[in-house]
Amino acid sequence: MKKNEDMPVVIKLDRKKLKQSAKGRVKRNYIACIAVCFIMVFIAGEYGSTTQNVSSYDNSHVADLKYDAEDKEEIIEDMVKNELTAEQVSDKWQIDNPDAVKKWLDAYKKYGVDGLNSKEVTFFGSSNDTSNLEALADAFSFSRNAKEKAQTYLNDRLNNFTASASVYFDSATSSNSYQFSLLTAIMNVLGKKSTWDTIVSFVYFIFQLMFTIFIVNVLWVCERRFFLENHTYKKTKIGRLGFLFRERTLHPARTMFVTSIYQTLWAFTIVGYPIKHYAYSMVPFICAEKPNIKTRKAIKLSIAMTRGYKWQLFKVDLSMIGWTLLSSISFGAVGVFWSNPYTTAIDAEVYLQLRREAIKNKIEGYEELNDKLLDLDLLEELMAEEAAQKGENPDIVRSIPICTIKVPENDENGGGE
């Protein structure tokens, strides 16, 4: 069929309908949806905003991992003797967290030295600079000075960004990301640090880069595949989270990596980042539908699918701000047990809607969206339209059940039929 070269018709996304559909899909497979998002939090660092408050609480315990009771006592005595503020003590002793010093002082006044002998890491911390993993990394850091300088540099840079751009830049340059690891290594070289610090920084960068490309990015695509299948099938299994690992394809990893580089670069333009954020937003879903699609085609198709819809996509995200606030005040509980899978399910509904319009309008590259069983409603509609064009009864075609027939493999006695 010939592609429609005219500007495709832009429809209005019915947010209420999208949310109702997403809610129903999550409820009917609730445990699996929660489990998938839970895995994504702890392995891929997704949904970091839902655990931000709890992670911030963890940050006050980073110092507890670094200093024992005797060190804390010495620090507090120095603070009291010299009448120093918590900020001054934090800078002097390189504690990095004045709140931790205040907590030690209160504990010392109430319980004496015994109150300083506490170590705690909470369960929900997972993804940001203040996560449990990061707390342990800080406690045994080989290059703390270089890291502090890099963080100072990043804080200065963040002041130059708008709120929307800084959100992505902050996540992209968090201390457990490959971008931050590379920056730390460069800062070590520029700062003329020891050879050991430089080697450790670059090794850590390589590890983070490989982990991001081959684990995190692949899991992002797998998660999208799970929610796309969950739209159509009632009991999608958690195991679908590993379908790309079983297929042993590296195309989605490369595509997601290239996309993340584009997004990082666009973040420096301030104005361009929000636009490109939505322009690239369909890439993981496209890779989830067709893992072997070429990187350039996936990105171009995502841009084409979102053309004319960026403002509507922004309003969809804006309508979820209430759930973000609820997740924050509930210390991430609302996010873990509802809003995380609910939000991703809405994203899947949006993709399926844009996919439907892309196929109907025959936009450039729509042929790549060829997984017919991904949206059975659309498949039925297309079959009915084709039947109507041939002069057949479309109602009969639409009533034909769609099923998948598996042909048994040949056995030792000659095989099946």
Side-chain angles (χ1 to χ4, degrees):
M1 290 185 290
K2 186 179 180 179
K3 297 177 183 177
N4 186 1
E5 296 179 356
D6 298 331
M7 182 68 181
V9 178
V10 177
I11 67 169
K12 182 179 180 180
L13 297 178
D14 189 337
R15 296 194 297 274
K16 184 177 181 180
K17 186 176 180 180
L18 290 172
K19 291 180 179 180
Q20 287 177 343
S21 179
K23 187 183 296 182
R25 264 65 180 186
V26 172
K27 284 184 175 180
R28 74 184 185 186
N29 200 15
Y30 180 68
I31 300 299
C33 289
I34 285 183
V36 166
C37 293
F38 198 74
I39 293 171
M40 292 299 294
V41 166
F42 285 95
I43 297 181
E46 196 180 4
Y47 311 110
S49 61
T50 63
T51 56
Q52 184 176 3
N53 284 357
V54 180
S55 295
S56 297
Y57 175 74
D58 291 338
N59 192 39
S60 66
H61 295 287
V62 171
D64 289 334
L65 294 170
K66 294 181 181 179
Y67 300 95
D68 57 24
E70 293 181 358
D71 293 330
K72 295 175 188 176
E73 183 180 8
E74 183 180 357
I75 293 170
I76 295 302
E77 288 180 351
D78 179 44
M79 178 181 183
V80 174
K81 180 180 179 181
N82 297 297
E83 298 181 351
L84 302 176
T85 64
E87 289 73 16
Q88 291 173 330
V89 172
S90 180
D91 291 338
K92 180 178 180 179
W93 292 83
Q94 296 184 337
I95 298 173
D96 304 330
N97 195 317
D99 291 335
V101 177
K102 293 176 182 178
K103 185 191 69 174
W104 294 348
L105 181 61
D106 291 339
Y108 183 74
K109 290 179 178 179
K110 291 181 180 180
Y111 309 108
V113 178
D114 292 337
L116 300 176
N117 190 22
S118 63
K119 298 181 185 295
E120 179 179 357
V121 176
T122 59
F123 181 70
F124 284 104
S126 57
S127 60
N128 296 323
D129 294 347
T130 54
S131 65
N132 292 343
L133 180 61
E134 184 60 25
L136 294 175
D138 281 341
F140 301 103
S141 175
F142 289 102
S143 185
R144 184 168 59 189
N145 291 332
K147 185 174 181 180
E148 289 170 357
K149 288 186 177 182
Q151 287 174 330
T152 300
Y153 171 79
L154 289 179
N155 288 334
D156 292 338
R157 292 295 299 166
L158 285 174
N159 291 330
N160 298 324
F161 293 110
T162 60
S164 59
S166 65
V167 168
Y168 176 80
F169 187 80
D170 181 63
S171 63
T173 54
S174 61
S175 54
N176 57 351
S177 68
Y178 72 87
Q179 294 101 325
F180 185 91
S181 302
L182 176 60
L183 183 58
T184 300
I186 294 174
M187 292 295 290
N188 272 343
V189 175
L190 296 178
K192 298 180 180 179
K193 295 297 178 182
S194 66
T195 303
W196 175 248
D197 278 349
T198 303
I199 292 174
V200 169
S201 297
F202 274 106
V203 169
Y204 185 64
F205 159 67
I206 295 298
F207 170 78
Q208 288 295 106
L209 180 62
M210 294 299 101
F211 183 79
T212 299
I213 294 175
F214 297 109
I215 303 297
V216 175
N217 287 348
V218 173
L219 283 176
W220 266 65
V221 174
C222 291
E223 183 194 29
R224 269 59 184 175
R225 181 71 193 190
F226 170 86
F227 277 95
L228 287 176
E229 293 186 4
N230 191 64
H231 167 87
T232 302
Y233 307 103
K234 293 183 179 181
K235 294 296 181 182
T236 304
K237 302 298 183 182
I238 301 174
R240 294 301 291 163
L241 194 59
F243 89 100
L244 284 179
F245 296 102
R246 289 192 293 272
E247 293 186 8
R248 299 180 182 179
T249 176
L250 299 179
H251 289 283
R254 181 178 183 273
T255 301
M256 292 294 292
F257 177 61
V258 172
T259 304
S260 70
I261 292 177
Y262 287 168
Q263 288 179 315
T264 301
L265 295 176
W266 276 108
F268 287 93
T269 67
I270 302 178
V271 177
Y273 169 72
I275 297 174
K276 293 301 179 180
H277 166 74
Y278 289 108
Y280 300 148
S281 60
M282 298 297 114
V283 170
F285 286 102
I286 294 171
C287 291
E289 177 172 353
K290 188 171 183 179
N292 292 323
I293 187 173
K294 293 182 178 179
T295 298
R296 189 174 181 181
K297 284 187 176 180
I299 294 175
K300 288 182 65 176
L301 182 55
S302 177
I303 293 173
M305 290 176 66
T306 56
R307 185 174 293 119
Y309 288 98
K310 296 180 184 66
W311 178 246
Q312 293 194 60
L313 295 177
F314 170 74
K315 290 195 289 185
V316 171
D317 287 345
L318 189 63
S319 67
M320 296 300 294
I321 193 171
W323 287 109
T324 302
L325 294 175
L326 283 175
S327 181
S328 297
I329 64 178
S330 66
F331 297 99
V334 172
V336 171
F337 294 107
W338 179 252
S339 66
N340 290 347
Y342 179 44
T343 300
T344 307
I346 292 176
D347 291 340
E349 296 293 329
V350 169
Y351 171 75
L352 290 172
Q353 184 65 58
L354 296 185
R355 176 182 182 272
R356 176 188 295 254
E357 297 305 315
I359 293 174
K360 287 185 175 181
N361 286 288
K362 299 180 176 62
I363 67 171
E364 182 180 359
Y366 83 99
E367 300 92 346
E368 302 291 344
L369 307 175
N370 54 10
D371 190 340
K372 296 181 178 180
L373 298 181
L374 201 60
D375 187 348
L376 298 183
D377 293 333
L378 175 61
L379 178 58
E380 285 186 331
E381 289 180 18
L382 294 177
M383 291 173 61
E385 291 176 4
E386 185 178 354
Q389 291 175 359
K390 294 179 180 179
E392 301 175 355
N393 186 349
D395 293 332
I396 295 178
V397 176
R398 289 176 65 88
S399 65
I400 298 176
I402 300 174
C403 60
T404 302
I405 302 175
K406 294 184 179 180
V407 179
E409 299 178 355
N410 294 339
D411 54 26
E412 298 177 356
N413 297 323
E417 299 179 356

